[in-house]
Structure formats: C-alpha cells, structure tokens
Amino acid sequence: MKEKIIEKLLLACSLITILTTIGIISVLIFQTFGFFQEVSIISFFTDTEWTPLFANKKYGIMALLSGTLLTTFISIAVAVPLGLTIAIYLSEYAPAQLRQIVKPILEVLAAIPTVVYGYFALVYVTPIMQSVFPSMSGFNAL
C-alpha cells in the first residue's frame, strides 16, 4: 500500500514537471507569434536599433547579435590558446608541487561566474585601458 502511494505521488510530481514545461513552451510560442505579427522577422534580425520603450518602437537585434558574436570570438581567440598552453604545461611539464598549488586556484577561478569577471573588467580594467588609449569607450568588447 505504501509503495503504491509513493508511486502515485512520484507520478504526480513528474506530471507536474512535464505540464509546467509544456505550459512554458506554449506561452513562449504564443507570445512569439503575437510579437511577430506586429514586428517583421526581417527587421527584427536586420535592424540595428533596440528601443522598445521609446515612442517610435524598434526591435532590431543586429547590434546585440554582432556584439555577442564579437565578444565570443575575442574570448575564444584568447582563451583557447592560453587555456591549452596552461593545461598542457600543468599536465606534462609542471613539477608536482606547482601542480598541487595551481590546480585548486584554477578550479576556484572556474567556479566564479563570468558576469563577475565582466564587472571586474568594466570597473577596474577599462579605466586602466582608457589611460593608455584615451579614445576608448567606457563600454567596450575587451
């Protein structure tokens, strides 16, 4: 009897999870169709202005998309060679004592969300870069 109750309870919990997921997906689909009835898909992807709160509303994500791709490519160009070099050095060439010190430090750094690194770069690194390059914007891809 207890096993049947637990089985039904677990079934109810799994059904609630599935129904919640279906509800979220259906709301997103219906809202998307409503949005794209007012805004052209072509202008959504090709317009460069995102001003949904202005009187003349524009919903272009080209600038947002290109900024995301730019920062992604810059981070890949820096992180892949640097990360591979450090990983190869630590696994093949570094003394065991150095590896025991550096590995936990790298694991802690990997646990920090990237938003924190971005904020650190915005607050501390950007002013240093602006002193070297005075024409640099406060908000930049680096």
Side-chain angles (χ1 to χ4, degrees):
M1 180 69 172
K2 286 183 182 181
E3 286 186 21
K4 289 288 185 188
I5 293 173
I6 292 172
E7 195 175 301
K8 299 292 181 190
L9 183 64
L10 291 175
L11 178 65
C13 289
S14 64
L15 287 176
I16 288 172
T17 304
I18 291 170
L19 291 175
T20 302
T21 304
I22 290 171
I24 291 170
I25 290 171
S26 64
V27 165
L28 287 173
I29 288 172
F30 289 127
Q31 292 291 324
T32 301
F33 282 131
F35 175 76
F36 282 123
Q37 286 176 351
E38 295 179 21
V39 178
S40 166
I41 292 176
I42 294 171
S43 68
F44 178 72
F45 284 109
T46 58
D47 196 8
T48 58
E49 290 185 53
W50 179 265
T51 55
L53 300 177
F54 291 6
N56 184 13
K57 297 179 180 184
K58 293 188 179 182
Y59 297 98
I61 65 165
M62 180 56 80
L64 304 173
L65 190 61
S66 63
T68 300
L69 291 174
L70 175 68
T71 56
T72 300
F73 289 132
I74 290 172
S75 64
I76 288 172
V78 171
V80 169
L82 189 64
L84 281 175
T85 304
I86 291 171
I88 291 170
Y89 174 74
L90 284 178
S91 66
E92 299 295 328
Y93 302 110
Q97 190 175 17
L98 179 66
R99 191 178 310 127
Q100 288 176 346
I101 295 170
V102 173
K103 187 177 177 191
I105 293 170
L106 290 175
E107 289 173 357
V108 168
L109 290 174
I112 298 172
T114 55
V115 172
V116 175
Y117 290 124
Y119 182 73
F120 174 78
L122 180 67
V123 173
Y124 294 105
V125 177
T126 297
I128 294 170
M129 295 291 289
Q130 285 176 333
S131 67
V132 175
F133 305 105
S135 63
M136 179 180 272
S137 170
F139 296 108
N140 55 67
L142 296 176

